[in-house]
Amino acid sequence: MTDLLTQPTSWTGASAILFDLDGVLTPTATVHEQAWQELFEGYLASQPEVDGYRESDYFDHIDGKPRFDGVRDFLSSRGIVLPEGPTDDDPTHATVQGLGNRKNQIFNDIVSSGVEPFDGSVRFIEAVLAQGLKVAVVSSSRNAPAVLKAAGLSDRFRVVVDGVVAAAEGLPGKPSPATYDYAARLLDLPSEECVVVEDAVSGVQAGHAGSFHSVIGVDRGAGRQTLLDAGATMVVSDLEELL
């Protein structure tokens, strides 16, 4: 295996790797996509005058964003404005919070049987830790700790910045670099020494907008050129390619 620290285009001078979760470490991005599709197909069935849900909607309006931002941005694409509702709004209510909570309910129902992480990602994490680099997870999802536990990865990450942490700290979600910058601070490192690893356009944009060491795009469906155009330093189809 090549020494990660000797790859000059990706790792020279890096002290930490900041990983997105869904689609980077675990295949739960496809579960999120499935949950969003189920949510909006159900909701739009009651809006016959509005265009139905398309597969491209996930990448165009939702992927990588905090849950309720995804709800707002998708609805905006259809010219729909709903009341916000309380944070704990009932999942049956036609509000931004209600729809977001309904999506979360669908997602949790799907992943309750367990999550298998990407083999290449697990090998990459182990190699990074063996090199002495620090690691963190930075996810827009409020379910990140549960997903990490279900995937058997909790013990690798002492720093997890998820949607709950972002809300508590008042951090804007991706494509802002704020959550990644916060993870770097928790690791006691400058952002310039941290590599961002992302599969979502908004996440790559977040890494590019900050002063990070580099941004590694993982193409799980967004498209290699799309991730490069969003600001990725390089793009791989699986993290195993970096070993």
Side-chain angles (χ1 to χ4, degrees), residues 4-172:
L4 296 178
L5 297 179
T6 66
Q7 298 186 42
T9 59
S10 302
W11 312 107
T12 302
S15 299
I17 313 293
L18 310 179
F19 296 92
D20 178 43
L21 176 60
D22 301 309
V24 170
L25 302 183
T26 63
T28 39
T30 58
V31 180
H32 281 289
E33 188 173 358
Q34 179 183 344
W36 282 111
Q37 180 174 351
E38 185 174 330
L39 168 72
F40 284 125
E41 283 183 345
Y43 172 71
L44 292 178
S46 65
Q47 310 288 320
E49 72 282 2
V50 177
D51 288 345
Y53 186 85
R54 298 183 290 268
E55 185 176 335
S56 59
D57 284 321
Y58 179 71
F59 293 107
D60 290 343
H61 308 297
I62 300 167
D63 187 26
K65 299 177 182 178
R67 187 192 319 155
F68 300 112
D69 288 348
V71 173
R72 294 185 196 96
D73 289 353
F74 173 80
L75 293 176
S76 177
S77 76
R78 298 303 195 270
I80 299 173
V81 178
L82 292 178
E84 281 293 309
T87 303
D88 61 348
D89 207 353
D90 192 290
T92 63
H93 291 175
T95 64
V96 169
Q97 304 289 331
L99 290 178
N101 292 337
R102 192 184 313 170
K103 182 267 173 181
N104 191 51
Q105 188 176 71
I106 296 169
F107 176 84
N108 284 328
D109 286 345
I110 297 172
V111 302
S112 60
S113 59
V115 175
E116 287 292 329
F118 290 111
D119 289 340
S121 297
V122 173
R123 286 192 286 273
F124 182 69
I125 293 168
E126 296 300 334
V128 164
L129 292 173
Q131 292 288 342
L133 276 71
K134 296 181 179 181
V135 296
V137 163
V138 181
S139 172
S140 297
S141 174
R142 291 171 177 255
N143 300 308
V147 171
L148 285 169
K149 182 177 180 180
L153 297 175
S154 296
D155 61 335
R156 271 82 157 185
F157 297 97
R158 69 173 183 84
V159 171
V160 177
V161 178
D162 66 351
V164 174
V165 173
E169 297 295 328
L171 303 173

Side-chain angles (χ1 to χ4, degrees), residues 147-207:
V147 171
L148 285 169
K149 182 177 180 180
L153 297 175
S154 296
D155 61 335
R156 271 82 157 185
F157 297 97
R158 69 173 183 84
V159 171
V160 177
V161 178
D162 66 351
V164 174
V165 173
E169 297 295 328
L171 303 173
K174 304 168 186 178
S176 165
T179 50
Y180 276 111
D181 282 326
Y182 187 66
R185 291 200 300 274
L186 293 179
L187 292 174
D188 296 320
L189 291 170
S191 297
E192 290 83 358
E193 294 184 18
C194 299
V195 176
V196 169
V197 184
E198 269 282 356
D199 72 309
V201 170
S202 61
V204 169
Q205 290 172 335

